[in-house]
Structure formats: C-alpha cells, structure tokens
Amino acid sequence: MRFNIKNKVLMVMILLLASQVLGQAPSGRINGFLRDAESGEPLLYANVSLKNTGIGAATNNAGYYIISGIPPGNYTLQILMMGYDRTEKQISVAAELEERHDFEISPSSIEGEEVIVTGDRQRFEKQIEVSAVSLSMRDVKTMPAFVEADIFRTLQLLPGVQSSSDFSSALVVRGGSPDENLIMLDGIEIYNPFHLGGVFSTFNADAIADAEFLAGGFPARYGNRISSVLSITGREGDSKHNKLFTGTKLGEFFDVSQVRGEVNLLSSKLLAEGPLYKGSWMLSGRRTYFDQVARLYYWAKDEPMDWKYYFYDVQGKVVQNINPTNRLAFSHYGGQDRISFDLEQSESEVSFGWDWGNTTNSAEWRWVPNSKFVSTLSMANTVYQFDVDLEYATKDSSGSSAGSNFVVFNEIDDWTIKENLDWYISPEHTMTLGLEAKDLGIQFRIGSGDLNFIDENESNMIYSGIIQEKWQPSPVIMLQAGLRLSKYSAHDDLYYEPRLGFKYLLNTNLALKGAWGVYNQFLFTAQDEDAILSIVDFWNPIPENYSAKSVQHFILGVEQWLGDGYFASLEGYYKPYKNTLVMNPNQDYENPDDDYTEGTAEVMGAELLLKKNAGKLTGWLGFSYMQSQQEFDFNGDGLIIESDGEIYSSKYDQPFSVNLVVNYSPSTKNSFGLTLSSSSSNLYTPTVGYTYTQHSGQAAFDFNNPYSSLEDIKGSRNSARYPDYFRVDVSYSRQITPFGLDGLFKFQVINVTNHFNTFFYNWDLSAGTVEGIGMFPFLPTFGVEFKF
C-alpha cells in the first residue's frame, strides 16, 4: 500500500494521539496564575517548580502555569523570576485531585549580578521552540533607537532578519517578502503596522508586555502567512493602585493608578492605566507634532501653510476577571497617517489628500474550567484603508474653471472568529484544537470622476481547523505534530499543512532541534521587484486563476544552555517555494488575468545567536548567512532562461550579516547601549549604458530632433550589489526626578561613525554621472519620559 506525505503525517498524528499510556500511577496536578503584586500584571515566563524534585513548568504569556503528574505527597512550591522575590508555599498533593494556587509576587529590591533560574530554563527543557525568540520590553527600550523605542527595529538586529533600508521598519525574514509575516497584537492581525512610509512602527513600547518572534517552523495554530510570526501581547494595566478616587464610591469601580509619557524630537505619547471594577484598563496614545511646529513657523513668517502631515495611534485594553475561571478582555487599536497639500498657480489649483491606517477591535473570552483545559474564544475586526484623492482645477482667460479628480482606494475589512482549546492530558501529552473563520472584504478602486478604471470588490472566506499534539515520551525527547486544514473560497482545493517539530536533549545543557512544515498564504501585496521604497501596501486576495503562495520549511539546529544567563543557538534552514507571485512586467492592460507572474524560489541559510539575558551586561551577538534564488517565466515562452533575466537572486539575498547588541546598567539610575550592524547590502539592477530613443518622457514630441531622448540600458536583473552596510548606534539613559516626578532622560546617536550607507544610485544620463544617495547620517536625538 502506497502512502503520500499527507497520509504519513495523518498516521503520525493518529499514533501520537493513541500513545496515551493507560494505567499510570495515580497522581495530582496544580495550576494557577502569577501576577505582579504591585501592578496586577501577569508575570510571563516565570519558573514554577516543586523544590528539590525537578518537577516544574514556566508560565505562558498570560501568566498561567500547570504542573501535572505529581505523585501524592507534601511539597514546597517555589516561584523564581529574575527581578522578583523568591516565593515559597507548602502544599499537599492528593491523587486524582487538582489544586489552584494563584500568586502575587513582589519585585525584588536586590541589585547586582545575582542570576537566578527563570522560566527560560523550563522553556529550554520543556518547549519545542525552533527559530523562536522572546523579547522583553527591557530589551527594546534600553537599546539605541531612532527617536523612540521600536520593536521592529529591535527585531531587525536578530540573525536572519533584515530591513530593506534605514527608512523601513518592515521585516524581511529569511529571504521572505514583508507581506509574508503574520503580525498580531493581542491575537488581532495587523496588516500595515507602520507609520511615515515604514520609518516607525505603530506600537507604543510602553503598552507592550511581551513579544514572541518565530522566524520559521511555527506551529499549526498560526496560518495564512509563510515566513514568520510576531505575536505581541499588550499590557493589561495596573489594577492595584487607586490614586485619584480613593475612598469614594467611584473609586470602587474606576480609578487611575499612573500616567506616563514621553516627549522627543518627533512625537509625544501618553499612557494611562488603572483598576476597573474586577479588572483593569490601559489606554495609550501618540501623535507627531512637527505639523504644529511648522504651523507656528508659517505664522511667524505670515505665510499660508499649504501642506500638512502627521500620524497618530491609540491603543487600549480592558480586562474583567468575572470569576477565577472566566476572564473577558477587550482590545482596540487605531492608527492613521494623514498627508495633504495644496498647490496654486495662476491657471491651476491642485489639492492632494492621502490617508492610510488600521483600526482593530476584539473581544476575548478565556475559560479555565479546571487544570486540564484552557479555552480561548475571540472575535476580531480589522480594517485597513489606503485612500488617495487628487483634485485638479484649471481656469481659462474668461475666469471659468473646469476640474477633475483622481482616486485610489484600497480596503481590507477582516472579520475573524476563532476558538483554541488547550487540553493538558498528562505530563507527556498536550493537545491543541482550533477552529477559525475569516471573512475578508477587499476593495480596490482607481478612478476619475464617475469613471472607474479599476473597480474590484471581493468577499472571500478562509476556514481553518487545527489539531496539534505535543508528546514527551521520555525526559529527553519532545515531539510536536500538527495539521492545519484550510479552505479558501476562491479555490476548489482543500489545503493541507502538516507540521512537525522535535527537540532531543543530548545532555543536560545541549539540545538538538528541528522542524518541517508546509505553509500557504491567500493574501499578498503586489510587489514591484525594482521599487526602491514601498510607502504603503496594496493588499490583494490570491485571484482564482493563480495558486496560493506556498513554501516548505526545513530547519535543523542545536542550542546550548551555558549558565549564568548565557544561551547559544545554531540553526540551518532550507525554504523551497512551490509557488510565489510578482507583478508581471509584460502584462497586457486589456487582459485582466495576467497581472502577475507565478514562479518558484529557493532560500537557504544559517544563523548563530549568542545571548546573555541576566546581569548588568546583557545583549546578543548574531551571525547569519542567506542565499536566495528565484525563477519566473516572464516572457511566457514556457522556458526559464537565466540570460533572459528569469533566473536571478532576490534583492534581499544577503551573504553575510553580523549584529552586536550590548546593554550595560552599572546602577539603577544609569544605562548605556550600543548596537553594531554590518551586512551585505541589497542587490539591484544596474544601468550599464544609455541610448537615444524616440520614446520620450517629455510632454511633447520633438519633430525637429526625434532621437533627443535618452533611455538607460539595464544590465542583468539584480546583478549588482550596493556597498556593504555598516552602522554603530549608541545611547545613554538616566533616571531623573524633574519637579518631583519620576522620569528618564534618553540621549542617542544614530550612525555615530557617520558611515555612508548607500540607499540607491541616481543616474544622470545626459551628464554621464551617477550619484549615491545615502541613508541615515550622524544623527543625535534625545527624549524625556515621565511618570506620575
């Protein structure tokens, strides 16, 4: 009997699910939540263990832990987390019974180099986390940053992650395009999480509790993206302090615990939080103000201000703990960029308006009926809009005017409902079941007046189901098998996405790890391979006459626990793309079905990460190598020929990259940061010559000199590379108390060596010269945070 790969994976799933051993000795289990005693915030990745037994677990990103398979008896339950007091409690465990133990842990006042075991060790021993990195906001906020802390800029310093330029926060992960990354805030998908053409991310670091980044091999619970996952957990808010309405009737239901903010050269932001009935609330906002500064400048010069640009974002969260087993959470995010300007001449007027941004809302119900099950049901709506409106009016000699307008509009209206059930069967077995339904309404319109050149209004559904089993047959072997089934309404196919992961502890501190999986994607952005900078994303569903983007991940690596807060990881990966899409350079605009060209690609690479996460000196050193090649039949002749420019390296191909991140805190008041980045730069298609042509870009054809126009001659696609990239940033921060308020002064210098990093080349064909346009020069910035 012959089995294909899908049959084999299904058989493995059946064997894993049937592997539950019957007749085990009676045992008990404990579970609970850990919270900060001062703020009520969940404590993530703390170590919870039974003293002197080797039995334990780490809390997850909700502060939840579960320990099962405990022999009956009396134990000392201990909580260990760096920066918090050691906590112990005497407990008694009975056979076939479970006990709930919730804790509130106080921050420690101990300073120095003391390193204690945290949940990182438990995760090393118990979790299959291939290509995974968890970033605390301490990592993000203590390193040099362009104006303000940015989680995307921090991720770009990890091996295997790169940016297209200094002017973009978008992530290029292991050769995948930025639209292949799944970015979520509290489980809500965010489609374009950038401001100012990608220079800034939309997330306020003060409002974030944790960020988990998976650069590949991610499990079945994540879908519809094929390169990486960034899952951001927002803070819940301080539920422990009443400062405004203490002793009043209102204070029993609502109060403000603290307000913090930041003022820097570009923007100001404010965050407020406090208790709310049986839970907490948190609200943060940020807005740029250089448009207001410019308004004062024009007012002083007594001139009209005919332009405007600013962005803002608002992030909020409300949590209600109905009872010990039920919790409701409501999250909101809204961010918008707005630019406009007016041009007025003697015979014409131009008015230009351009808005883009995200609005998201979600509700989540978490139910923990007992220590065996955790159910999470959520409903979310995400709307991404891109709207351009250009109005043009002319006047004739009689004073009469005539006008027209040009409109570009793109919208994604995403409604998603999903249920995830984690079933803790035994110490050896944990199963995850999930269902998801996604309703995607997508509009794309280009028109003028009442005439639409393109008017697409589509509604697509994506239905997904997952089953995942984590099995630990012995203390040194962990296996994870999962299957994701997806149905995309535009296609007749049912998409199977089997995924496997393993970890094998070679000894106490050394582990072998690996993963394999199939990944499909049904949304994408139209990628112009030759674009220098992508300001915004135009999102499209995969058309019915094209296949979904599809890739496999093959990953193998080792990780070493070095002690004293040191950790090392080495991984190699191979990503063969079965199908990918780019814009068709030879499309016939009268044919609506040839907008894109399908092709294949291969990406391979290796990464080394050495990280220290405890003590006065923290940070990491990362090395990476990556090679990428793509194949497309651009001319449609059925052949793929390298000399025709149909086999070429991706512009993100990066033979080497090294990043050093250092944070040094000699005391609680002072902190120093340094980042060093050196890497191969992007590939580009060079201009190798020029010729005279009749095809003119001028307004009128010159009959007296028909060959007066110059046109460049391009070389092979992506056959040249910009000079190697090099940048060093430094920062200093100090705790201050202006006017009796707690504050933080921050000073940073971007590109302290003023190294010239090439952004692109500007060719002047008539003069026969080329000029290099650079990225960030030597750039000092400063800011002040405050809290009251």
Side-chain angles (χ1 to χ4, degrees):
M1 182 177 180
R2 298 178 63 188
F3 288 90
N4 59 27
I5 188 65
K6 296 175 184 177
N7 298 132
K8 292 179 181 179
V9 172
L10 290 173
M11 182 62 70
V12 171
M13 291 291 299
I14 293 172
L15 291 174
L16 290 175
L17 295 176
S19 62
Q20 174 64 23
V21 180
L22 300 177
Q24 291 181 335
S27 61
R29 60 173 67 203
I30 60 174
N31 71 318
F33 287 89
L34 268 60
R35 294 187 175 275
D36 185 302
E38 291 190 358
S39 68
E41 290 274 3
L43 292 181
L44 288 57
Y45 313 124
N47 180 57
V48 186
S49 63
L50 302 179
K51 196 172 183 178
N52 301 324
T53 66
I55 302 174
T59 59
N60 62 15
N61 62 357
Y64 180 73
Y65 75 93
I66 176 172
I67 306 176
S68 57
I70 306 173
N74 297 319
Y75 298 92
T76 300
L77 181 64
Q78 65 176 358
I79 313 295
L80 297 176
M81 185 172 183
M82 188 166 56
Y84 286 81
D85 291 337
R86 182 190 300 264
T87 301
E88 295 185 352
K89 180 181 181 181
Q90 302 300 316
I91 65 170
S92 180
V93 177
E96 305 296 339
L97 294 178
E98 64 178 53
E99 291 189 17
R100 173 80 173 262
H101 295 283
D102 295 336
F103 291 88
E104 292 188 348
I105 314 300
S106 298
S108 174
S109 59
I110 299 176
E111 299 180 10
E113 286 284 352
E114 181 189 15
V115 177
I116 62 174
V117 177
T118 68
D120 289 336
R121 178 68 193 189
Q122 287 290 344
R123 296 173 75 185
F124 173 81
E125 295 178 351
K126 303 294 184 181
Q127 298 295 323
I128 303 172
E129 294 184 324
V130 179
S131 305
V133 175
S134 180
L135 289 177
S136 69
M137 287 309 99
R138 179 178 179 271
D139 294 327
V140 176
K141 297 184 67 175
T142 56
M143 68 175 52
F146 176 57
V147 181
E148 61 185 35
D150 189 327
I151 189 170
F152 287 88
R153 298 287 184 180
T154 304
L155 290 171
Q156 289 173 357
L157 295 168
L158 292 172
V161 186
Q162 66 186 101
S163 66
S164 58
S165 72
D166 285 352
F167 305 114
S168 176
S169 290
L171 306 177
V172 177
V173 182
R174 292 180 173 177
S177 60
D179 67 336
E180 295 175 2
N181 306 313
L182 176 61
I183 299 172
M184 299 186 299
L185 174 64
D186 289 330
I188 315 170
E189 188 170 347
I190 308 293
Y191 284 93
N192 186 38
F194 309 107
H195 288 305
L196 198 59
V199 176
F200 298 97
S201 77
T202 60
F203 303 121
N204 181 353
D206 291 332
I208 297 174
D210 175 70
E212 183 176 28
F213 179 65
L214 305 170
F218 42 92
R221 70 166 63 227
Y222 300 112
N224 197 29
R225 290 296 188 277
I226 59 177
S227 277
S228 72
V229 174
L230 174 60
S231 180
I232 298 173
T233 302
R235 291 185 53 236
E236 295 185 358
D238 187 337
S239 62
K240 292 295 184 178
H241 296 92
N242 293 65
K243 291 190 175 180
L244 289 186
F245 307 112
T246 304
T248 68
K249 191 66 176 178
L250 177 60
E252 298 177 9
F253 299 93
F254 170 83
D255 210 334
V256 177
S257 60
Q258 68 173 346
V259 177
R260 67 177 70 179
E262 179 178 346
V263 178
N264 55 55
L265 293 178
L266 175 70
S267 65
S268 294
K269 58 185 179 181
L270 199 67
L271 182 145
E273 56 188 326
L276 180 66
Y277 191 44
K278 294 184 177 181
S280 60
W281 65 276
M282 185 276 298
L283 181 65
S284 72
R286 175 177 59 165
R287 190 192 190 280
T288 57
Y289 46 70
F290 50 74
D291 61 320
Q292 301 301 319
V293 175
R295 190 183 301 278
L296 292 175
Y297 169 79
Y298 282 99
W299 174 80
K301 293 188 65 177
D302 195 23
E303 294 179 2
M305 180 175 170
D306 54 11
W307 65 271
K308 178 173 63 177
Y309 173 76
Y310 66 93
F311 68 74
Y312 71 87
D313 48 59
V314 177
Q315 182 178 335
K317 194 170 185 178
V318 174
V319 175
Q320 286 296 291
N321 299 300
I322 308 302
N323 54 45
T325 61
N326 290 277
R327 170 187 179 272
L328 293 175
F330 304 91
S331 296
H332 168 80
Y333 169 79
Q336 196 80 13
D337 285 65
R338 290 181 174 172
I339 183 171
S340 64
F341 61 81
D342 298 316
L343 297 177
E344 185 173 350
Q345 298 178 352
S346 59
E347 297 181 355
S348 64
E349 294 180 356
V350 176
S351 178
F352 179 82
W354 184 7
D355 300 345
W356 70 91
N358 287 279
T359 302
T360 69
N361 294 282
S362 74
E364 179 185 275
W365 172 34
R366 186 182 70 201
W367 180 39
V368 188
N370 51 51
S371 62
K372 288 189 175 183
F373 298 98
V374 176
S375 168
T376 305
L377 175 65
S378 65
M379 176 178 287
N381 173 239
T382 297
V383 177
Y384 166 69
Q385 285 188 344
F386 169 88
D387 188 2
V388 171
D389 191 354
L390 174 65
E391 295 184 358
Y392 178 77
T394 59
K395 296 180 181 180
D396 58 23
S397 58
S398 65
S400 301
S401 63
S404 61
N405 74 317
F406 181 76
V407 174
V408 180
F409 181 77
N410 181 216
E411 179 187 76
I412 294 179
D413 191 356
D414 177 346
W415 284 93
T416 300
I417 182 170
K418 58 183 175 182
E419 161 67 22
N420 276 308
L421 179 67
D422 294 315
W423 180 13
Y424 300 91
I425 301 173
S426 70
E428 296 81 20
H429 292 271
T430 301
M431 185 187 299
T432 299
L433 304 171
L435 293 172
E436 179 179 298
K438 185 182 289 286
D439 183 0
L440 291 169
I442 301 177
Q443 295 184 53
F444 185 54
R445 186 172 69 253
I446 299 178
S448 177
D450 296 329
L451 176 63
N452 288 323
F453 308 115
I454 298 176
D455 190 3
E456 299 177 356
N457 194 341
E458 299 185 43
S459 180
N460 292 280
M461 299 293 299
I462 303 175
Y463 302 98
S464 301
I466 68 165
I467 181 170
Q468 183 173 291
E469 160 77 358
K470 179 188 169 188
W471 177 34
Q472 187 168 3
S474 78
V476 297
I477 298 176
M478 287 164 281
L479 301 172
Q480 186 167 271
L483 177 65
R484 186 180 185 95
L485 296 175
S486 296
K487 180 67 179 71
Y488 175 49
S489 60
H491 294 169
D492 294 331
D493 298 331
L494 182 64
Y495 289 88
Y496 294 84
E497 300 181 27
R499 302 177 190 180
L500 296 171
F502 77 90
K503 180 180 282 188
Y504 176 55
L505 298 177
L506 301 172
N507 58 44
T508 305
N509 296 313
L510 180 64
L512 178 68
K513 59 183 179 179
W516 168 80
V518 176
Y519 302 85
N520 294 294
Q521 184 166 327
F522 310 110
L523 280 174
F524 73 110
T525 60
Q527 297 291 325
D528 183 354
E529 289 267 297
D530 297 322
I532 296 174
L533 180 65
S534 177
I535 301 298
V536 295
D537 295 325
F538 289 97
W539 286 90
N540 303 278
I542 296 288
E544 60 183 7
N545 58 314
Y546 292 91
S547 300
K549 295 181 71 172
S550 182
V551 68
Q552 295 185 64
H553 291 192
F554 296 88
I555 303 172
L556 186 64
V558 293
E559 56 186 21
Q560 175 79 48
W561 183 268
L562 300 171
D564 292 334
Y566 284 95
F567 172 84
S569 174
L570 174 64
E571 287 187 1
Y573 61 88
Y574 173 60
K575 293 169 57 177
Y577 282 74
K578 179 181 178 182
N579 188 65
T580 186
L581 290 89
V582 296
M583 294 182 67
N584 182 3
N586 302 312
Q587 61 181 288
D588 179 358
Y589 291 98
E590 294 182 359
N591 182 359
D593 296 326
D594 74 339
D595 294 339
Y596 311 104
T597 298
E598 292 180 309
T600 61
E602 288 186 342
V603 183
M604 63 183 67
E607 300 164 2
L608 174 65
L609 175 66
L610 175 63
K611 188 176 182 183
K612 184 177 187 292
N613 56 12
K616 293 182 178 181
L617 185 68
T618 61
W620 65 80
L621 176 64
F623 299 89
S624 66
Y625 161 83
M626 188 266 287
Q627 179 180 330
S628 173
Q629 182 172 281
Q630 303 182 119
E631 298 185 5
F632 293 93
D633 183 12
F634 288 122
N635 57 23
D637 63 358
L639 300 174
I640 299 179
I641 302 174
E642 185 172 1
S643 60
D644 289 343
E646 296 176 329
I647 301 176
Y648 59 97
S649 297
S650 162
K651 69 177 180 179
Y652 300 125
D653 180 270
Q654 192 175 65
F656 87 92
S657 173
V658 57
N659 293 297
L660 174 66
V661 176
V662 177
N663 297 309
Y664 177 60
S665 300
S667 66
T668 56
K669 286 189 175 183
N670 298 284
S671 180
F672 299 88
L674 178 145
T675 63
L676 182 152
S677 298
S678 180
S679 67
S680 307
S681 290
N682 292 338
L683 293 172
Y684 70 98
T685 302
T687 296
V688 296
Y690 63 90
T691 184
Y692 290 95
T693 177
Q694 298 183 46
H695 304 290
S696 172
Q698 300 174 5
F701 183 77
D702 188 352
F703 287 94
N704 296 321
N705 188 5
Y707 288 92
S708 61
S709 298
L710 286 174
E711 184 177 274
D712 57 353
I713 301 173
K714 293 293 187 182
S716 300
R717 185 185 295 269
N718 290 347
S719 59
R721 188 183 298 277
Y722 294 116
D724 290 345
Y725 181 92
F726 179 82
R727 197 176 102 188
V728 178
D729 302 340
V730 296
S731 68
Y732 168 71
S733 62
R734 178 177 176 81
Q735 299 284 348
I736 57 177
T737 55
F739 310 107
L741 301 176
D742 292 332
L744 181 70
F745 172 76
K746 301 186 299 182
F747 176 76
Q748 50 245 336
V749 179
I750 305 301
N751 195 3
V752 68
T753 65
N754 200 31
H755 183 81
F756 186 87
N757 292 305
T758 305
F759 183 35
F760 67 92
Y761 290 132
N762 183 29
W763 297 83
D764 187 335
L765 299 182
S766 60
T769 61
V770 59
E771 178 187 8
I773 306 301
M775 292 186 271
F776 287 160
F778 176 88
L779 183 63
T781 65
F782 65 90
V784 177
E785 295 183 14
F786 58 88
K787 181 172 65 174
F788 56 87

